[in-house]
Amino acid sequence: MPALAITNFNIVLSVLGGWISLFGLVSYLCKESYYMSEAFISLLVGVAFSPRAANFVRPLAYADYDPLTLQAITLAFSRLVLGVQLVLAGVQLPSRYLHQQWRPLSMLLGPIMFMMWIATSLLVWALVPSFGPNGIGFLKALVVGSCVTPTDPVLSNVIVKGRFADHNVPKELQRIIVAESGANDGLGYPFLFFALYLIKYVGHDYPSDGAGSGRAMALWFYETWVYTIILSIVYGAVVGWIAKELLHWAEERKFVDRESFLVFAISLALFITGTCGMIGSDDVLACFIAGNVFTWDDWFRLETLDDSLQPTIDMLLNVTIFMWYGAVCPWEMFLRNGVGMQIYRLIVLGILVLLLRRLPWVFIAHKIPWGRKMIPQIEGAKQAIFVGFFGPVGVSAIFYLYITLEFLRGMDGPDGKPREDVKDLAETVTVVVWFIAICSIVVHGLSIPVGKLGFHLPRTLSKGLKSGAASPSRSVLPDSRRSSGGPLPSFNIGGRVSSFFIGRTPGWARPAERQSHDEHNAERHGEIEYSQQGIPLTRPVYRIDGTIIRNPPASDTDAVESEPKDVVAVGDVEGPSQSQSRLDTTPTNSSNTTLDGGRRGRGVLATPAAREATGSKSHSRAPGRSIRFPDDNGQGVGSAPTLVGENTAGVKQ
C-alpha cells in the first residue's frame, strides 16, 4: 500500500528546488531592476524555512544532533563555495592580470588590509566586555578581527556583475575589486594564526607546552607563511598551468567536447579544493591563483565569455549557501549569550565595523599622492568611498570562524579540560562574527536599491508635481481647440509619445495602391472630420505627453520631398539634431522600397547593424504614417520622413 516518505532528503530537495524555481521566475526583476542581492533574499528564505519558523530545513537533524558535526558540514560547504567562486574569479580576470596589477594589489592587500584588521580588532576590544583591557584580551580581539578582515567574493558580485555594475562601475575598477576579494580571502590565514599562536604559547601559564613567543613566531612563519601561503601559491600556479596546457592539447586534437570544455574550470576548483584540503594548505588562495594562471593567455576566458554555465553554477551555489546560513545562524545567541554581548552592543559594533573597518583607509590611500599612484583604478573621491564601503563580510568570515573553532578545540589544558583563559573565546567569536556577517549581508544587499530609491524618488515626485501643474488635462485635442483651431502646445524634446495619430499621410509617402485603404481608415477614425473642423491637418499630428506636434508647412515639405529619403524605424522620438545623427544615411531610389528591398513603411531598419546602432527594436506601426519635427524656428527639418509600419498601437519613446 502506498505510503508517504517524508524524509529529510525529500524535504530538502523539495524546498531547495521549489525556492530556486520560484526565485528564477523573478530573478531578473530582483537583481537587474531592483538591484537586490540574491544572497540577502536567500538568507531571508533560509530563516523562513529554518527550525525557528517553518521547520522545513533542519540542519541539526542532518548532523545527527551533534553541534560539532554541524560545524564540520558548514565549514566544508563554505570551502566548496569559496573554491569554486575563486577559480571563476581568477578565470574572469584578463591575461596576466595579477602580474600587471601588482602595485594596486600590493597596496590593497598590504597596508589597507592590515589597517582593516587593526581597526576591526580595536572596535571589538572596546565593545566586547569579556575580553577585558589586558593583553590577552587584545589578542582575542585580533582573532575576531582577522575573521572579518577579508572581503567576500560572493557578496562582491552585486557591484561587479549585472546592470548596475555595467552602468556605474568602470571595468577596471570592477576587475581590481574582483582581484582583491579573491586574493585577500586566502591571505586571512597570517592574521588569524598570528593571534592564535600567541594565545596558545604566550597567553597562559603552562610552561610544559614549550610556551614562548619564539615558538609562536616560528610556527607562524613556517606553518602559516611557508606551508600554508607560499605552498598554496606554488601549488595553484603549477596545477593551473598544467590544466591550461592539457586543455590546449586536447582541444587542438578535438579530444574534448563542448560540455567538458565549459565545465573544466569547475572541475579544476573541486580538484584543488580537495587536494589542498588533504595536505592542509590554503585551498582558498590556491584556487584563486590556479584560476588566474589557467587563463594566463586569455584563451579560456575569451572562449567562455558568452557562456552561461559558469554564472549558472555560481548562482546555484550562492542561493544554496546563504539559505544554509539562514538556517544554521545562531540567531538566539544574539539575544542571550554567556559572554555579556547585549544586542545593543552588537548593533553598535556592527555599524562601526561597516563604517570604519575599510572605508577610511581606502579614502586616505586615495588622498595620499603616492597612494593615488599605487591604485590608479580609483579615479575620484566618490569611487574611493564606493570601494571603501563595499567591502562585504560573508562566506569567507564564516569559513575563518569555523577554522578558529577547530583550532580552539585543540587548546586544552594539561588535564584535558578547556583552558580558563580561552573558554569564552569560542562563544564570543561565534556571536560577533555571525552578527557582523549578517549585518553585512543585509546592509550591502540593500544599499544599492535603497540608494537608488532615495535618489530617484524625490526627482520622480518633483517631475510628477510639475507635470500635473503644467498639464491639467490629458486630452489630445481639447474641444475648444478643435473648434477654434487655436495654437497648439509647443514640442518638448524628450517627452513620451502616446498612441494618438490624426491626419492623413500625404500621397508621396504612401504606395498608390494603399491610398484608398488609408482614406477609408481615416474616415473610420474620424480624421477627416477633424480636418474639416477648422484645423488644417495636411500632416499628422502627434501627442507627446501633454504637447501636440504639428508637421512643418507645406512649402517646407515640398522642399524636403525633393531630397533623398532615409528609411528608418521609429524606436525613439527625438529632436532634430538627435534624430538626424541616428538615421541610416543610405538613400533610397523610390518611395516603394526600403534599404533591404522590402516595401516602404514596414518599420524595420535596413540591416542588423543599423538596428543595433539606433538601439531600437522592431515595432508594428500604423499604416503609412510619418513623423516629422519642426526646428526651433518653426521651419522644416532637412531629414527625410520616418516611415512606420503596419498595425501600430503607438509610438514609444
Side-chain angles (χ1 to χ4, degrees):
M1 184 175 180
L4 296 178
I6 308 178
T7 62
N8 287 330
F9 181 73
N10 291 336
I11 293 175
V12 168
L13 291 184
S14 302
V15 171
L16 183 61
W19 159 242
I20 294 177
S21 300
L22 291 176
F23 177 71
L25 297 177
V26 293
S27 58
Y28 185 86
L29 179 68
C30 293
K31 294 191 291 186
E32 302 297 337
S33 297
Y34 297 145
Y35 304 105
M36 296 185 68
S37 168
E38 61 191 16
F40 169 68
I41 301 174
S42 299
L43 181 76
L44 297 181
V45 173
V47 177
F49 291 153
S50 69
R52 301 165 184 85
N55 199 26
F56 288 152
V57 179
R58 300 184 285 269
L60 195 59
Y62 310 149
D64 293 331
Y65 298 96
D66 183 8
L68 296 182
T69 304
L70 181 59
Q71 293 180 10
I73 294 174
T74 306
L75 175 60
F77 197 4
S78 303
R79 284 182 55 215
L80 172 64
V81 172
L82 284 176
V84 174
Q85 288 277 2
L86 292 178
V87 167
L88 298 182
V91 166
Q92 75 183 37
L93 294 175
S95 173
R96 298 175 173 84
Y97 189 83
L98 297 182
H99 173 70
Q100 296 173 355
Q101 302 296 330
W102 68 271
R103 289 181 181 273
L105 286 176
S106 62
M107 184 69 178
L108 291 169
L109 301 176
I112 291 180
M113 191 173 179
F114 176 79
M115 292 307 302
M116 290 167 60
W117 177 45
I118 297 298
T120 306
S121 302
L122 289 174
L123 291 173
V124 171
W125 191 30
L127 291 172
V128 177
S130 61
F131 283 173
N134 52 16
I136 190 65
F138 182 67
L139 290 178
K140 293 177 182 179
L142 290 177
V143 172
V144 179
S146 63
C147 292
V148 298
T149 294
T151 57
D152 188 66
V154 180
L155 294 176
S156 297
N157 287 341
V158 71
I159 59 170
V160 297
K161 292 182 180 180
R163 191 173 69 168
F164 176 82
D166 294 338
H167 291 176
N168 300 278
V169 185
K171 184 62 67 174
E172 287 301 320
L173 193 59
Q174 295 179 30
R175 290 169 178 168
I176 200 65
I177 292 174
V178 170
E180 182 206 4
S181 63
N184 68 10
D185 270 12
L187 293 177
Y189 274 97
F191 300 104
L192 176 62
F193 282 93
F194 175 83
L196 287 178
Y197 282 139
L198 286 177
I199 291 174
K200 183 175 182 179
Y201 294 107
V202 178
H204 68 92
D205 299 324
Y206 298 103
S208 59
D209 289 345
S213 59
R215 182 175 181 181
M217 291 297 98
L219 288 173
W220 180 66
F221 178 78
Y222 168 71
E223 291 191 1
T224 303
W225 280 105
V226 177
Y227 191 79
T228 304
I229 300 299
I230 297 178
L231 177 62
S232 66
I233 293 175
V234 174
Y235 181 78
V238 171
V239 173
W241 183 84
I242 293 175
K244 174 179 69 70
E245 295 299 322
L246 288 176
L247 189 60
H248 267 295
W249 177 83
E251 199 274 337
E252 290 172 356
R253 290 161 177 77
K254 309 297 182 183
F255 289 168
V256 59
D257 60 7
R258 183 63 179 173
E259 291 78 11
S260 300
F261 181 85
L262 296 177
V263 82
F264 199 86
I266 308 296
S267 60
L268 180 64
L270 300 179
F271 174 78
I272 295 176
T273 303
T275 52
C276 275
M278 287 190 291
I279 65 177
S281 188
D282 187 354
D283 48 357
V284 175
L285 184 59
C287 284
F288 178 70
I289 297 297
N292 194 251
V293 173
F294 180 63
T295 185
W296 197 253
D297 55 359
D298 237 11
W299 170 65
F300 185 82
R301 183 180 73 90
L302 297 177
E303 286 289 330
T304 59
L305 194 61
D306 297 326
D307 173 65
S308 60
L309 175 63
Q310 295 176 9
T312 301
I313 300 297
D314 179 44
M315 185 272 294
L316 289 175
L317 291 176
N318 291 350
V319 170
T320 308
I321 189 66
F322 284 101
M323 278 188 65
W324 180 260
Y325 284 166
V328 303
C329 177
W331 300 96
E332 63 280 353
M333 295 182 67
F334 300 155
L335 298 175
R336 296 180 300 273
N337 54 74
V339 293
M341 283 299 295
Q342 295 88 351
I343 186 63
Y344 75 89
R345 287 179 178 267
L346 289 173
I347 293 175
V348 172
L349 178 61
I351 295 173
L352 292 178
V353 166
L354 294 181
L355 291 178
L356 304 178
R357 160 179 162 265
R358 174 180 171 87
L359 193 154
W361 319 116
V362 175
F363 188 79
I364 292 173
H366 171 71
K367 287 300 183 179
I368 298 175
W370 63 269
R372 192 180 304 114
K373 294 179 181 179
M374 291 286 287
I375 315 177
Q377 289 84 357
I378 301 177
E379 298 177 350
K382 291 183 179 180
Q383 290 189 6
I385 296 174
F386 176 78
V387 174
F389 177 73
F390 278 97
V393 180
V395 180
S396 56
I398 306 304
F399 169 76
Y400 282 113
L401 164 64
Y402 288 108
I403 291 290
T404 302
L405 297 180
E406 188 178 37
F407 185 88
L408 291 177
R409 286 195 292 269
M411 292 176 57
D412 296 335
D415 54 356
K417 296 181 179 180
R419 285 169 32 185
E420 290 294 329
D421 57 338
V422 295
K423 65 179 182 180
D424 61 340
L425 180 57
E427 185 176 1
T428 304
V429 174
T430 301
V431 173
V432 174
V433 172
W434 266 113
F435 188 83
I436 293 177
I438 296 298
C439 286
S440 179
I441 295 170
V442 174
V443 171
H444 292 113
L446 293 177
S447 293
I448 294 177
V450 170
K452 284 283 185 180
L453 180 64
F455 178 75
H456 288 292
L457 185 59
R459 301 177 62 185
T460 304
L461 294 176
S462 177
K463 287 183 179 180
L465 293 175
K466 290 181 180 179
S467 176
S471 304
S473 175
R474 302 295 295 175
S475 62
V476 178
L477 286 177
D479 294 337
S480 59
R481 292 183 179 179
R482 289 180 183 176
S483 60
S484 63
L488 296 175
S490 60
F491 171 57
N492 296 325
I493 294 178
R496 187 175 298 278
V497 179
S498 67
S499 58
F500 181 80
F501 292 84
I502 188 167
R504 293 191 296 128
T505 305
W508 58 264
R510 294 179 292 163
E513 64 271 15
R514 294 181 58 185
Q515 292 186 21
S516 60
H517 175 70
D518 289 343
E519 290 172 358
H520 171 71
N521 287 339
E523 293 174 355
R524 181 163 56 90
H525 291 290
E527 296 172 356
I528 296 178
E529 177 184 353
Y530 291 154
S531 64
Q532 294 173 355
Q533 293 182 2
I535 302 178
L537 297 177
T538 58
R539 297 290 183 270
V541 176
Y542 298 90
R543 173 187 171 195
I544 301 180
D545 278 345
T547 63
I548 302 298
I549 312 304
R550 272 192 296 191
N551 273 264
S555 58
D556 295 330
T557 305
D558 296 336
V560 174
E561 290 177 7
S562 62
E563 300 176 2
K565 309 298 186 298
D566 299 331
V567 181
V568 299
V570 178
D572 295 328
V573 177
E574 300 172 339
S577 60
Q578 292 94 332
S579 61
Q580 179 67 19
S581 64
R582 292 179 59 178
L583 292 176
D584 189 344
T585 56
T586 307
T588 60
N589 54 4
S590 70
S591 63
N592 293 339
T593 59
T594 61
L595 296 180
D596 58 354
R599 302 285 301 176
R600 278 189 90 158
R602 293 185 62 86
V604 294
L605 287 174
T607 62
R611 284 195 298 270
E612 183 178 0
T614 59
S616 62
K617 298 180 180 179
S618 297
H619 298 283
S620 58
R621 304 296 180 190
R625 305 300 179 188
S626 65
I627 297 179
R628 302 183 53 78
F629 297 99
D631 59 12
D632 295 337
N633 298 323
Q635 302 299 323
V637 183
S639 60
T642 301
L643 300 185
V644 296
E646 303 173 3
N647 303 325
T648 186
V651 181
K652 298 180 180 179
Q653 184 179 7

